[in-house]
Amino acid sequence: MPDLHFGGAEPTVAERAAVDAVVADVGPAIVEMTERLVYAGRTRAVERRHLLLPALHALQRAAGWISPGGLDHACRVLEVPPAEAYGVATFYHLFTHEPPEAADVVHVCDDIACRPLGAVDLMADLRAAGHHVRPSPCLGQCERGPAVLVQRTGGDDLTVTSAGVAEVSVAIDRGTSTASVVLPQAGSTDLCLLARIGVVDPTSLDDYLAHGGYRALEAALAMGGDRVIEEVAASGLSGRGGAAFPTGVKWQAVADQLGRPRHMVCNADESEPGTFKDRVVMEGDPFSLIEAMTVAGTAIGAEQGWLYIRGEYPVTTARLANAIAAARSAGFLGDDVAGSGARFDILLRIGAGAYICGEETALFNSIEGYRGEPRNKPPFPTTHGLFGEPTAINNVETLVNVLPIMLDGGAAYTALGTERSSGTRLFCVSGRVNAPGIYEHEFGITLGGVIEAAGGVTDGTEVRSVLLGGAAGSFVGPDRLDLPLTLEDTREAGLSLGSGVVMVFGHEDDMVDTVRRIAEFFRDESCGQCVPCRVGTVRQEEVLVRLRRGATLDDERELLDDLGAVMRDASICGLGQTAAGAVRSALDLGLLEGAR
Amino acid sequence: MNGTPVGTPRPLVGITLDGKAVKVPEGSTILDACRREGVDTPTLCWAENLTPVNVCRVCVVEVEGSRVLVPSCSRPVEEGMVVGTDTERVRTSRRMVFELLASSVRMDRSDADVLDWMDHYGARPERMGARDEIATVAQPVKVQDDLYVRDYERCILCYKCVEACGDDAQHTYAIATAGRGFDAHISTEFDVTLPDSACVYCGNCIGVCPTGALVFKTEHDMREEGTWDESAQEVTTTVCGFCGVGCNLELHTQDDRIVKVTSPADHSVTHGHLCIKGRFGWQHAQS
Ligand SMILES: Cc1cc2nc3c(=O)[nH]c(=O)nc-3n(C[C@H](O)[C@H](O)[C@H](O)COP(=O)(O)O)c2cc1C
Ligand code: SF4
Ligand code: SF4
Ligand code: SF4
Ligand code: FES
Ligand code: FES
């Protein structure tokens, strides 16, 4: 690192203490340059730079903003150029760089599931009641909206669901979040991934052990890494984070990188609008994820695990932190995992309001202390992942599937689901249904079946359309209710299950506004790196605003087509590539006709 | 930098470029192959003296077997690759990149080849809507010293200045990308002025900026006065006398006055990059 230039601003005592606590157990600054990545370009300082994101969180929490003095102090301690650190801090929605207007910031979800539940009025009411309100994209509580996140200075953040002004005030006064959900399917014996939720005490390792916990790890350690990967491959398990990539193939590719340090990363960023499955799993059964990551890490030869969770899940984060600490003190993590001699530990990393950080390479950059900008692929994470090293990154739901595979074997797992889509899938059902929530079904259930299982469509409503797969997915019409939900059937229909979102809209819903909100989401969440997405998402939203104000669809169609083409074809990552998908499907279904 | 070791002969790789079988050295990018074959390919964020960041996407080509288009400036060739540089999809994406940029950024002072490409691909940015009805990056120009001016209304966010200020040349890290999405912009920490930042006035960022967002104060003032006239300028090459390194300087003069200083990007010593003395020292000599 060359000599860096720092500003003259001084940190407050609290800011200094907050940053120093983050770096306390790391020792003096050692800054090493990693080799230039062939494609991504930059020289990377490791060792301390990855503490930048935790340091920014500490500053925000201590002072209610990232002040010049606070940032400067973090830069000196971590040896990061201030301009770069400022670039990182301003990337995230939950970090502010102006003095706070209030000690508590009330983030209100005004995204597509919460809008029909009165989110827009709620914002006005909360403002009238004197709160400092900021609109937020989906907070991952879509089954119980409107959802609110209270970001507090000097204290723990709070989640409030089915929120009204009174609920928010009470939560702030008491400093407590809304309790975790009760599963609609609770008690069903068909559950595999959700079986322990609501049954086990999520804060107790002993209770987890009493409910079959850590038997899968025991089996895995007895089998050895090669067999574990074989079983996962034989199970046909594919990724549940959106891309449905075969998990066994991914793990094998990382395991093959002998002689290089390897990483196991769990992607718990869950920010796709309409998605809340990972939250339910992590809140209700946190040890299962820690166990599954340990199975994965020891199998692929990774000594370091990283669990990256979105910043809007304070309750979930506390459960996971507790679970990691308990597992470590019981010897399930550390230098000698469960007495096997294998070394594996997990670091928890917390996002700060950026959907794009769920994209795997953006997530790596975020952990490393850089802006959450996706990298160009190839090279792929299996060879050039976190810190440029071989990395297996998996979604939460993907990982917890590994536990039954260890216990019963890959072959037994294939008995569930269909031939080409084995296992079960978690569905995030919201919108106009009687019992919204997370549902576990075998692959192959129809779309209508999922809606029926969620208590059916609410009385007096007919299905007008269903958003399948999230904002990055597509709208489908009622003619698709008999579509079997498998990888093969959805692919054939030009659709995707994505993150398992099934959001039901009726005739009373304002679809032009819903589609416009999706366009706004992509505009707000684009990282801004590449032109097709940075400007294309803005122009797409402008078209939808014009349509809502009465512009004629025919006048806008050519532009919409061209915007869709350049975003899909020329964007760097999946965000830009799918940003026009839902809009396109809405257009095809005629949902934008008669725009108001 | 895109460095390939000099001198060691590299094995050749066979690819098909626009239907023609060609052989190019292993490790070349598709863009290298296009240039060897004389296929004109637009670029905005690529420069021979900088590491590719592949963010502008104007250089995209169609590669058989790839779901999406690929950036030619950074993708290495592979044996048997079938590349199309002038397909319908490629033309649409290139035109759209120019339209999207030109609808939000003022591009009229861009390098001449940029303006030619916009013309070639038939960019019609005006169909995005009237400028006062759509989002643009319009903002006041930053004039904070006598040496250079930052006019971010002209910034296409190609990251070249950030790279030149950072890892690729200067290692000063005075500027970086801040904000996100359409609000992303080049900035010092908390937008402090350049004199308050780490900037050492090497002017290397000016040297790489393709759109005239970063210019010498002399150029900015003359353009505002309407006296800037490239056709009346002469370029003389000389060696900088301030120290013993021997950097090549190109002095641009108009009416016998030095109006800006550059260095050739292919010069073995400078790779186009200079320090404050070579870049701005003439100001003292002249005034
Ligand atoms: C914009 C964007 C956001 C994403 N967000 C998430 C996410 O929140 N969680 C997730 O598991 N995968 C997400 N992904 C997919 C990941 O890039 C990656 O494919 C996945 O984590 C791999 O895990 P899997 O194979 O277990 O699915 C996202 C992808 C994109 C393009
Ligand atoms: S597609 Fe969008 S989110 Fe992805 S890299 Fe480009 S600008 Fe960033
Ligand atoms: S003049 Fe040099 S130091 Fe200053 S911003 Fe430009 S490249 Fe960086
Ligand atoms: S100022 Fe110039 S060089 Fe820097 S990003 Fe903008 S256009 Fe590129
Ligand atoms: S929590 Fe509001 S839409 Fe998901
Ligand atoms: S020149 Fe290739 S992406 Fe910009």
Side-chain angles (χ1 to χ4, degrees):
Chain A
M1 231 341 116
D3 290 342
L4 294 176
H5 167 97
F6 300 102
E10 288 292 324
T12 64
V13 174
E15 286 170 334
R16 188 186 293 275
V19 171
D20 293 355
V22 168
V23 285
D25 38 61
V26 181
I30 314 163
V31 180
E32 266 179 29
M33 296 297 182
T34 58
E35 223 176 294
R36 227 161 233 275
L37 292 180
V38 187
Y39 302 83
R42 284 158 224 175
T43 326
R44 299 192 157 244
V46 286
E47 296 296 325
R48 289 205 145 190
R49 177 90 187 221
H50 72 90
L51 294 173
L52 182 57
L53 182 58
L56 292 173
H57 269 296
L59 285 171
Q60 177 75 38
R61 184 183 157 119
W65 69 309
I66 312 281
S67 72
L71 188 76
D72 207 64
H73 180 62
C75 289
R76 284 174 200 271
V77 178
L78 301 175
E79 298 212 7
V80 177
E84 283 195 11
Y86 179 72
V88 174
T90 52
F91 189 82
Y92 297 97
H93 191 70
L94 295 180
F95 294 147
T96 45
H97 40 282
E98 269 158 29
E101 286 174 42
D104 299 322
V105 181
V106 180
H107 298 265
V108 179
C109 171
D110 73 339
D111 215 323
I112 49 176
C114 290
R115 282 180 97 74
L117 300 172
V120 177
D121 289 343
L122 176 62
M123 279 196 282
D125 296 346
L126 284 165
R127 282 198 181 104
H131 291 287
H132 181 56
V133 172
R134 282 178 70 190
S136 168
C138 176
L139 288 167
Q141 312 278 352
C142 327
E143 83 280 35
R144 44 179 190 167
V148 165
L149 172 79
V150 184
Q151 190 183 15
R152 316 199 75 186
T153 304
D156 291 337
D157 296 348
L158 307 169
T159 290
V160 191
T161 59
S162 306
V165 176
E167 285 80 1
V168 172
S169 302
V170 169
I172 291 177
D173 289 346
R174 297 198 187 142
T176 50
S177 295
T178 313
S180 296
V181 282
V182 178
L183 274 189
Q185 286 172 310
S188 160
T189 50
D190 291 340
L191 297 178
C192 173
L193 306 176
L194 303 179
R196 266 187 295 255
I197 294 177
V199 176
V200 76
D201 174 358
T203 63
S204 161
L205 176 58
D206 287 341
D207 205 35
Y208 181 63
L209 291 169
H211 286 87
Y214 279 107
R215 280 188 25 230
L217 179 64
E218 192 187 330
L221 292 173
M223 273 186 239
D226 291 347
R227 258 290 299 291
V228 168
I229 297 174
E230 272 169 37
E231 292 297 331
V232 170
S235 74
L237 177 64
S238 62
R240 307 294 198 240
F245 191 81
T247 308
V249 174
K250 189 184 280 188
W251 288 15
Q252 188 62 57
V254 178
D256 286 344
Q257 297 288 315
L258 295 175
R260 298 176 66 193
R262 283 156 266 171
H263 302 270
M264 175 350 73
V265 178
C266 172
N267 188 341
D269 195 52
E270 185 157 82
S271 306
E272 179 73 40
T275 314
F276 47 99
K277 65 193 177 72
D278 297 342
R279 183 201 88 230
V280 171
V281 170
M282 293 186 287
E283 244 170 72
D285 194 8
F287 286 98
S288 68
L289 179 60
I290 306 306
E291 180 180 1
M293 283 183 71
T294 312
V295 171
T298 50
I300 62 172
E303 296 192 341
Q304 189 61 60
W306 304 78
L307 174 41
Y308 187 98
I309 184 167
R310 70 179 299 191
E312 294 88 343
Y313 279 175
V315 176
T316 326
T317 304
R319 295 257 165 95
L320 291 169
N322 173 68
I324 291 171
R328 194 179 290 135
S329 30
F332 289 114
L333 289 173
D335 289 343
D336 181 17
V337 172
S340 66
R343 184 197 290 244
F344 184 75
D345 211 330
I346 298 174
L347 284 171
L348 189 58
R349 282 291 186 267
I350 302 165
Y355 164 64
I356 190 57
C357 289
E359 196 282 337
E360 52 197 15
T361 59
L363 189 152
F364 301 150
N365 280 346
S366 179
I367 292 181
E368 291 180 28
Y370 291 83
R371 292 164 57 79
E373 294 173 350
R375 304 174 186 166
N376 212 40
K377 288 187 269 190
F380 294 97
T382 46
T383 56
H384 294 76
L386 187 59
F387 303 111
E389 292 165 350
T391 303
I393 176 165
N394 284 111
N395 173 257
V396 173
E397 182 188 346
T398 313
L399 285 166
V400 293
N401 270 287
V402 169
L403 301 181
I405 295 170
M406 291 302 106
L407 290 172
D408 307 328
Y413 185 87
T414 60
L416 295 169
T418 65
E419 203 185 319
R420 277 183 291 163
S421 305
S422 55
T424 62
R425 184 79 226 243
L426 299 181
F427 292 97
C428 315
V429 190
S430 63
R432 305 276 171 193
V433 294
N434 281 313
I438 291 300
Y439 290 84
E440 179 175 4
H441 296 294
E442 284 184 46
F443 275 107
I445 186 171
T446 62
L447 180 55
V450 170
I451 295 173
E452 274 318 301
V457 179
T458 40
D459 289 345
T461 303
E462 270 172 71
V463 177
R464 180 163 182 214
S465 67
V466 179
L467 181 63
L468 186 63
S474 314
F475 288 98
V476 298
D479 57 317
R480 286 285 192 196
L481 290 178
D482 55 1
L483 176 75
L485 299 180
T486 64
L487 300 174
E488 55 277 16
D489 291 284
T490 48
R491 194 169 296 153
E492 197 174 309
L495 301 165
S496 158
L497 285 179
S499 51
V501 171
V502 173
M503 197 182 288
V504 180
F505 293 91
H507 286 271
E508 64 273 48
D509 290 314
D510 181 346
M511 293 315 292
V512 182
D513 187 49
T514 302
V515 178
R516 184 207 55 77
R517 182 65 183 90
I518 290 176
E520 182 189 355
F521 173 80
F522 285 114
R523 170 194 182 140
D524 288 349
E525 298 300 325
S526 164
C527 82
Q529 190 181 195
C530 67
V531 177
C533 169
R534 178 178 77 239
V535 193
T537 54
V538 171
R539 297 290 175 250
Q540 172 171 274
E541 193 216 355
E542 286 168 351
V543 169
L544 285 151
V545 169
R546 288 200 291 269
L547 286 178
R548 192 129 200 285
R549 294 203 184 127
T552 320
L553 194 47
D554 284 343
D555 294 343
E556 304 280 1
R557 210 178 275 267
E558 185 194 308
L559 182 53
L560 272 182
D561 284 347
D562 281 354
L563 289 170
V566 70
M567 287 197 280
R568 187 185 57 243
D569 276 350
S571 294
I572 294 180
C573 84
L575 188 149
Q577 289 161 12
T578 58
V583 175
R584 175 86 249 169
S585 66
L587 201 62
D588 293 346
L589 280 179
L591 298 177
L592 300 180
E593 309 291 339
R596 282 179 282 159
Chain B
M1 251 149 281
N2 217 2
T4 336
V6 208
T8 36
R10 285 185 288 164
L12 296 179
V13 172
I15 66 168
T16 309
L17 189 63
D18 292 333
K20 187 174 147 206
V22 299
K23 292 225 174 276
V24 287
E26 191 175 44
S28 310
T29 60
I30 299 174
L31 182 65
D32 294 333
C34 290
R35 297 199 166 207
R36 278 171 79 102
E37 294 301 315
V39 176
D40 185 40
T41 308
T43 58
L44 289 169
C45 66
W46 176 89
E48 64 185 306
N49 56 353
L50 301 173
T51 314
V53 286
N54 50 71
V55 295
C56 76
R57 318 305 280 185
V58 80
C59 69
V60 287
V61 295
E62 200 161 340
V63 171
E64 237 177 67
S66 171
R67 185 175 48 89
V68 292
L69 303 178
V70 306
S72 62
C73 64
S74 56
R75 178 66 62 88
V77 291
E78 285 163 38
E79 185 63 44
M81 218 177 213
V82 180
V83 178
T85 72
D86 197 31
T87 65
E88 182 71 37
R89 280 170 79 195
V90 168
R91 281 196 303 269
T92 301
S93 279
R94 288 182 179 177
R95 171 173 55 81
M96 285 302 289
V97 166
F98 284 122
E99 287 188 1
L100 290 171
L101 281 175
S103 69
S104 50
V105 179
R106 291 186 57 173
M107 299 202 42
D108 52 311
R109 290 183 193 164
S110 299
D111 296 347
D113 47 0
V114 173
L115 300 174
D116 289 346
W117 286 319
M118 289 180 60
D119 201 42
H120 174 82
Y121 286 99
R124 289 185 296 124
E126 58 288 350
R127 73 194 181 105
M128 302 281 165
R131 269 193 171 248
D132 51 354
E133 285 169 16
I134 60 174
T136 70
V137 298
Q139 59 188 288
V141 49
K142 287 185 196 301
V143 185
Q144 297 169 342
D145 52 68
D146 292 335
L147 300 183
Y148 85 98
V149 164
R150 296 181 293 157
D151 188 359
Y152 286 131
E153 192 179 357
R154 301 178 180 281
C155 173
I156 56 168
L157 220 66
C158 68
Y159 289 52
K160 280 179 173 169
C161 54
V162 177
E163 292 209 288
C165 188
D167 290 333
D168 275 338
Q170 189 51 36
H171 294 279
T172 295
Y173 307 93
I175 47 175
T177 319
R180 189 172 79 197
F182 195 73
D183 297 328
H185 59 283
I186 306 296
S187 181
T188 57
E189 63 277 16
F190 289 94
D191 197 23
V192 298
T193 62
L194 277 187
D196 278 344
S197 78
C199 177
V200 297
Y201 290 94
C202 63
N204 288 331
C205 52
I206 308 176
V208 294
C209 181
T211 56
L214 307 178
V215 286
F216 283 68
K217 178 89 166 23
T218 35
E219 175 173 348
H220 174 78
D221 290 347
M222 289 170 77
R223 281 189 187 270
E224 293 299 301
E225 288 162 7
T227 52
W228 181 259
D229 181 5
E230 262 161 38
S231 63
Q233 291 172 8
E234 272 177 48
V235 182
T236 3
T237 306
T238 164
V239 174
C240 181
F242 278 105
C243 75
V245 172
C247 297
N248 257 22
L249 298 184
E250 295 165 328
L251 307 178
H252 301 241
T253 51
Q254 184 178 333
D255 300 331
D256 295 331
R257 251 184 84 207
I258 300 175
V259 292
K260 76 172 175 184
V261 174
T262 55
S263 182
D266 57 2
H267 182 53
S268 62
V269 175
T270 67
H271 297 289
H273 306 307
L274 294 170
C275 78
I276 183 171
K277 294 179 196 155
R279 188 82 67 179
F280 292 110
W282 51 276
Q283 288 217 331
H284 303 285
Q286 191 164 267
S287 55

